Amino acid sequence: MAELRREFMAAVSKLWPVAGGSLSLRKSSCMRERCAACESGVGHPRYGLWGRSGTERFSLYVAEELVPELEQALLNGQALQQLVREMGVRYTQARRSERSEQQSKRQSSSRRKKS
């Protein structure tokens, strides 16, 4: 069990930065009259991070220069979720194995006492 914990902690330490949610690019118009970007249909690109925190939804503006870092954080967040699922299975299997071994020892011990 201790080895499984060390493996998990080592894997988690490599997953920084971490974020959850989704990143989207929105093109919005501005308030300026005769804006060339708006009139051409290109608009003004803005990135946003969208997600949930508990039951609340959130959205945050993301500066364009932070987008690559945030994309990596989102990938790390997905990897962390996958790691948690995998470790949940492995932890359960390890605990079941430990329990079976303990039951076998008890049965073996009780057989010896009866003899």
Side-chain angles (χ1 to χ4, degrees), residues 11-12 14-23 49-50 66-86:
V12 167
K14 297 174 186 171
L15 295 175
W16 187 258
V18 66
S22 61
L23 185 65
L49 174 66
W50 303 82
L66 298 178
V67 168
E69 184 178 343
L70 188 56
E71 287 174 329
Q72 184 60 55
L74 290 167
L75 289 172
N76 289 346
Q78 292 169 0
L80 179 59
Q81 289 175 346
Q82 180 63 31
L83 178 65
V84 167
R85 286 190 291 271
E86 289 171 8

Side-chain angles (χ1 to χ4, degrees), residues 46-108:
R46 296 177 189 258
Y47 287 90
L49 174 66
W50 303 82
R52 288 185 177 271
S53 179
T55 58
E56 300 290 318
R57 291 182 179 192
F58 69 85
S59 64
L60 298 170
Y61 166 76
V62 178
E64 192 167 356
E65 62 268 13
L66 298 178
V67 168
E69 184 178 343
L70 188 56
E71 287 174 329
Q72 184 60 55
L74 290 167
L75 289 172
N76 289 346
Q78 292 169 0
L80 179 59
Q81 289 175 346
Q82 180 63 31
L83 178 65
V84 167
R85 286 190 291 271
E86 289 171 8
M87 286 297 176
V89 170
R90 291 179 60 195
Y91 174 78
T92 303
Q93 290 170 336
R95 291 293 290 138
R96 285 173 46 190
S97 178
E98 279 182 356
R99 190 167 178 244
S100 293
E101 287 175 20
Q102 289 171 352
Q103 287 174 346
S104 293
K105 286 179 183 177
R106 278 190 229 124
Q107 290 173 354
S108 173

